[in-house]
Structures are given as structure tokens and as C-alpha cells.
């Protein structure tokens, strides 16, 4: 009886370890799978990187988006609170218009954010499409972010996500809401928002440098 009990306990232990190994209960996977559908991203002032911190509606820090300083091309990273990389968005060097490939070892799907140069030429502002595994699932008109509101449409033209600027914040902060019916992972919308904000900050910094150089001349 004792021998059978030991075997039973050993079997239970093996099953538990197997579940822990193959299940998505490790911290990294949970951060992506359980990423909130409503959260905020906020510019961090004192940082080595251009960084946007991510917080839930309750004020819990989830992680941050940042742009790598030393890289052959533009690479944005979503990291967890411990500094581990969860996903990356890499800018293509050869595309016609801005294009970012978003991928993670923790999920099977690959997302692509791409500027539609033809649509951008006939519309006000820049038109971006988001593809999931090669199929278009969303469309964004970036000029809306200037009006402090950005709406994301699904493939049927229905609004499935929104990004709104928090006007009462001393730093650039955006509230993000993604419908559960949306065929986009919430953190993918965070990537787009962070890329837009960080690139805007960089362009403004470059313009200030140009003005300073002009004043010296």
C-alpha cells in the first residue's frame, strides 16, 4: 500500500510538472495573454532609452515599450517589469513606406504594421494597415493622433480600438481601449502608439537641434 501511495504521489508530481511546463502559466506568457484591454502608456522622462511605461487602469505597472539605442535598424521592445523581452517590433529597411514586423517567441502569430503609401497620398494623414499572419485585420489613420484621438477600424470598417491622449498629464500619456471582439492583441496597439509617440519626440528633438544650429550660424 505504501509503495502504491508513493507511486501515486510521484505520478501526481510528474503531471504537475508537465502542466507547469506546457501550460501558459509562466509569467512571460501570462503578461501577453492576460494583457489588459484597457490600459495606458506614458512617456518616461528620465531614461536611457525613449521609453513608454505601461499601466493598467488600476495603476499597476505591467512593463514598458522602448526603442533600442544601438541597433542596425529601428527596433522597439515590449519588456516586462523584470526587464525581460516579451515582443519586438522591427522596422524594415527595404519597404515602400514605414513597415514594422511585430513578433514574439511567446505567441505564434506575427503582426505587420505598414504604411499604405497610395492611400496616404489621397487621404489626409498617413494610412496604416495591420496584418495578422499576412491577413489585414485593422486600419489606422495616423493624423487622428494630432487631434488627441486615434480610432482603429477592423477589416469590416467597424471601430474596434481607440487611443486617447490624457490631457491632464504632465507627460505624454495615452489611454488605450481594445474591444474583446477585435482581432488584435491589446499589446499590438500599444506598440503602434509607442512608435508614433517616440518618433514624434525624436522628430521634435531633431527640429530643435536644427533650430539651434541655425541660430549659431
Amino acid at each position: 500500500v505504501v509503495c502504491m501511495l508513493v507511486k501515486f504521489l510521484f505520478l501526481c508530481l510528474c503531471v504537475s510538472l508537465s502542466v507547469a511546463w506546457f501550460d501558459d502559466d509562466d509569467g512571460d506568457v501570462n503578461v501577453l495573454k492576460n494583457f489588459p484591454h484597457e490600459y495606458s502608456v506614458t512617456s518616461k522622462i528620465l531614461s536611457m532609452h525613449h521609453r513608454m511605461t505601461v499601466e493598467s487602469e488600476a495603476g499597476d505597472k505591467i512593463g514598458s515599450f522602448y526603442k533600442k539605442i544601438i541597433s542596425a535598424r529601428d527596433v522597439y521592445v515590449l519588456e516586462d517589469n523584470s526587464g525581460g523581452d516579451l515582443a519586438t517590433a522591427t522596422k524594415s529597411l527595404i519597404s515602400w513606406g514605414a513597415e514594422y514586423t511585430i513578433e514574439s517567441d511567446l505567441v505564434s502569430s506575427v503582426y505587420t504594421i505598414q504604411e499604405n503609401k497610395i492611400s496616404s497620398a489621397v487621404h489626409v494623414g498617413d494610412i496604416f494597415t495591420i496584418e495578422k499572419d499576412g491577413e489585414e485585420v485593422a486600419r489606422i489613420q495616423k493624423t487622428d493622433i494630432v487631434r488627441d484621438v486615434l480610432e482603429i477600424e477592423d477589416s469590416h470598417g467597424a471601430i474596434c480600438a481607440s487611443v486617447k491622449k490624457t490631457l491632464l498629464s504632465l507627460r505624454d500619456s495615452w489611454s488605450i481601449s481594445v474591444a474583446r471582439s477585435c482581432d488584435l492583441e491589446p499589446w499590438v496597439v500599444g506598440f503602434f502608439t509607442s512608435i508614433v509617440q517616440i518618433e514624434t519626440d525624436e522628430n521634435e528633438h531633431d527640429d530643435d537641434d536644427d533650430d539651434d544650429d541655425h541660430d549659431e550660424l
Side-chain angles (χ1 to χ4, degrees):
V1 175
V2 174
C3 184
M4 292 180 61
L5 180 59
V6 171
K7 288 182 179 180
F8 176 78
L9 293 175
F10 179 78
L11 179 61
C12 290
L13 177 61
C14 290
V15 171
S16 299
L17 290 175
S18 298
V19 171
W21 180 262
F22 290 105
D23 196 7
D24 290 341
D25 282 342
D26 65 277
D28 289 344
V29 176
N30 268 344
V31 170
L32 294 185
K33 281 193 63 177
N34 298 331
F35 211 88
H37 286 257
E38 295 185 351
Y39 63 97
S40 66
V41 292
T42 304
S43 295
K44 189 172 183 179
I45 298 176
L46 299 177
S47 174
M48 290 180 60
H49 305 271
H50 293 282
R51 186 178 295 271
M52 305 284 291
T53 58
V54 184
E55 291 186 353
S56 68
E57 281 193 312
D60 298 323
K61 185 178 178 183
I62 301 169
S64 61
F65 294 95
Y66 73 92
K67 183 179 181 180
K68 286 189 174 182
I69 296 178
I70 302 176
S71 178
R73 49 185 170 175
D74 290 349
V75 178
Y76 293 81
V77 180
L78 169 59
E79 69 174 15
D80 60 20
N81 288 330
S82 64
D85 292 354
L86 298 173
T88 59
T90 305
K91 189 173 185 178
S92 173
L93 297 176
I94 59 175
S95 63
W96 185 40
E99 179 179 323
Y100 295 87
T101 299
I102 301 175
E103 52 193 346
S104 170
D105 293 336
L106 305 174
V107 296
S108 58
S109 294
V110 175
Y111 291 89
T112 304
I113 299 175
Q114 183 171 20
E115 181 185 3
N116 189 321
K117 297 292 288 186
I118 296 177
S119 294
S120 296
V122 297
H123 290 82
V124 177
D126 300 324
I127 306 297
F128 284 81
T129 58
I130 300 181
E131 294 184 353
K132 179 180 180 181
D133 299 327
E135 180 179 352
E136 183 177 322
V137 293
R139 179 175 288 252
I140 310 167
Q141 188 169 356
K142 198 177 79 169
T143 185
D144 289 345
I145 208 164
V146 177
R147 299 198 299 268
D148 301 332
V149 177
L150 183 152
E151 293 179 336
I152 300 174
E153 298 180 350
D154 62 20
S155 57
H156 303 290
I159 296 173
C160 68
S162 65
V163 181
K164 299 180 181 180
K165 193 167 188 178
T166 304
L167 299 179
L168 299 179
S169 175
L170 296 177
R171 297 173 291 168
D172 289 310
S173 182
W174 300 89
S175 296
I176 297 175
S177 178
V178 182
R180 295 189 179 276
S181 59
C182 191
D183 199 16
L184 277 178
E185 299 288 350
W187 49 271
V188 175
V189 180
F191 259 119
F192 180 82
T193 307
S194 299
I195 290 171
V196 169
Q197 182 62 60
I198 291 172
E199 289 190 347
T200 299
D201 291 343
E202 289 184 338
N203 291 336
E204 290 178 352
H205 183 268
D206 291 341
D207 290 341
D208 290 340
D209 288 343
D210 291 340
D211 291 340
D212 291 341
D213 293 340
H214 180 74
D215 291 340
E216 290 178 3
L217 293 175

